[in-house]
Amino acid sequence: MRINRRTFLAGFAAMPLAMPALKRAQAATPVVAASLLGDDKPETLVWMHIRDQVERELPGRFAFNIVPNAALGGEKEVMEGVRLGSIQASLSTLSNLSAWAPQTQLFDLPFLFRDAAHLEAALEGTCGGDLSEKLALEGIVAPVFVNYGARHLLSREPLLAPDDVKGKRIRVIQSPLHAQLWESFGAHPIALPITETYNALSTGHVDTMDLTISAYAGFRLYEVAPQTTLTGHIHAAGAVVFSGRFWAGLDEEARSVLQKAAIEGARHFNALMAVDEKTSMKIARENGATFHEVAERTAWEGPARKVWESFAGQVGGMERIEAVAATACRA
């Protein structure tokens, strides 16, 4: 019998990490939820939504402490805290999670997804079905996936064609896939946490980077990188995550309520992101940003396609990649 995400997470407490279940009569269980962005951004609002839903189902059972503005560190630091149990919950891109589960890189392959619907169909289908199991083995419980939006190329000067990227110093996330992607265009990747990108761009330590429009506005990067080329080369997937140590210490009722709230929260997040992207683009334009459409998309896709072949062995083979590209992964 195939283990689905619901039965897998329900059985997580049977792992060696399990601790005695907390009683409802005890004091509220603290939940530190880390967010990289401010109170008005979907990354933070989603935790308010989850908190409120959980409180309706289990009044007084949990005490959420939602910490915004990357006060607990960048993505990598937060996920290390999640694995240790010092942080109980957060969102994370699959790019970041690839440090612990390389299979997540399947959803980071450039120019693999046509649009948000294509990405979400693949994540909900069989091609995304085993990612939660891989992550749980690393102490990360991921009951549901989210869509952060497409990543685009932003820079201090216009980069309108692939040749314009050659020789540029580009900030990348700490991922071999992202480094290789931009090396294929002749750029020089420099891995930096998102919290260091504003200074890196303002001082010229890097010339360019890629990011979603929502995060572009959220970190006010239009002030130091006012040119954005709408490449949409990666549709950034992520997950709602909980600490495995925290999760294993909960009773079945609490896990069920949190899982249900996370799934509903993911739908809420995706809707918020769609609205926030439009708002963020408007804010960026009002603050001097210029957005450039891609004239020759195939010119960008050619070099990027080589990344598929390089990472096929780590993500399940070219057949699986092609299945995702053809939307052949079904629930």
Side-chain angles (χ1 to χ4, degrees):
M1 180 181 71
R2 186 179 185 276
I3 299 175
N4 61 30
R5 192 175 304 154
R6 180 182 296 277
T7 57
F8 175 76
L9 292 173
F12 191 89
M15 295 178 66
L17 222 48
M19 299 182 295
L22 296 173
K23 302 298 183 183
R24 288 285 299 277
Q26 292 180 336
T29 301
V31 181
V32 175
S35 172
L36 296 182
L37 292 166
D39 289 332
D40 62 335
K41 300 296 281 186
E43 288 84 349
T44 305
L45 293 171
V46 66
W47 287 109
M48 298 176 184
H49 186 84
I50 290 171
R51 174 200 63 197
D52 293 346
Q53 182 165 328
V54 170
E55 181 62 20
R56 284 192 295 270
E57 295 284 333
L58 294 175
R61 175 67 171 81
F62 295 99
F64 278 80
N65 177 17
I66 301 166
V67 184
N69 294 311
L72 298 178
E75 265 199 309
K76 188 172 186 294
E77 292 79 12
V78 166
M79 202 48 47
E80 287 169 347
V82 166
R83 294 180 73 235
L84 289 170
S86 58
I87 296 171
Q88 285 74 52
S90 188
L91 296 187
S92 178
T93 61
L94 294 190
S95 301
N96 182 51
L97 293 174
S98 68
W100 296 280
Q103 297 86 351
T104 63
Q105 293 174 112
L106 173 65
F107 294 91
D108 240 8
L109 292 173
F111 297 105
L112 181 61
F113 298 104
R114 294 181 297 278
D115 50 32
H118 185 184
L119 170 65
E120 289 164 21
L123 284 168
E124 293 172 3
T126 54
C127 284
D130 64 347
L131 295 185
S132 292
E133 297 167 34
K134 303 291 186 186
L135 289 165
L137 295 174
E138 300 298 327
I140 301 166
V141 174
V144 66
F145 300 107
V146 297
N147 181 3
Y148 281 93
R151 297 180 78 98
H152 305 284
L153 190 65
L154 56 100
S155 55
R156 298 190 299 157
E157 60 185 43
L159 303 176
L160 306 181
D163 282 349
D164 295 337
V165 181
K166 287 181 181 177
K168 295 290 188 289
R169 297 180 300 276
I170 183 166
R171 175 267 175 177
V172 296
I173 64 170
Q174 293 162 298
S175 159
L177 186 152
H178 282 243
Q180 185 171 322
L181 167 61
W182 295 110
E183 284 172 351
S184 73
F185 287 98
H188 304 300
I190 298 174
L192 290 173
I194 188 67
T195 50
E196 297 179 19
T197 54
Y198 188 101
N199 285 340
L201 285 161
S202 65
T203 61
H205 180 56
V206 298
D207 306 301
T208 180
M209 62 181 286
D210 69 339
L211 200 61
T212 64
I213 298 298
S214 178
Y216 177 50
F219 286 103
R220 303 177 65 90
L221 292 172
Y222 46 75
E223 295 177 348
V224 289
Q227 304 294 326
T228 298
T229 305
L230 297 172
T231 50
H233 51 279
I234 291 174
H235 281 265
V240 178
V241 299
F242 295 95
S243 166
R245 294 176 183 271
F246 163 75
W247 193 266
L250 301 175
D251 58 42
E252 184 177 349
E253 180 186 32
R255 287 196 300 271
S256 177
V257 168
L258 278 172
Q259 183 175 341
K260 177 183 174 183
I263 291 169
E264 169 56 29
R267 287 194 288 266
H268 183 64
F269 176 85
N270 289 347
L272 287 175
M273 285 299 300
V275 173
D276 189 73
E277 183 166 293
K278 294 178 182 178
T279 303
S280 295
M281 186 173 283
K282 181 175 182 291
I283 290 170
R285 281 199 172 107
E286 289 172 350
N287 284 275
T290 301
F291 293 88
H292 307 276
E293 296 289 343
V294 169
E296 295 291 337
R297 190 171 179 81
T298 55
W300 292 90
E301 292 175 349
R305 180 76 180 226
K306 297 174 185 175
V307 179
W308 292 19
E309 298 166 2
S310 293
F311 284 82
Q314 297 183 44
V315 301
M318 282 300 297
E319 184 176 348
R320 192 177 192 197
I321 295 172
E322 296 291 356
V324 172
T327 324
C329 299
R330 300 297 183 188

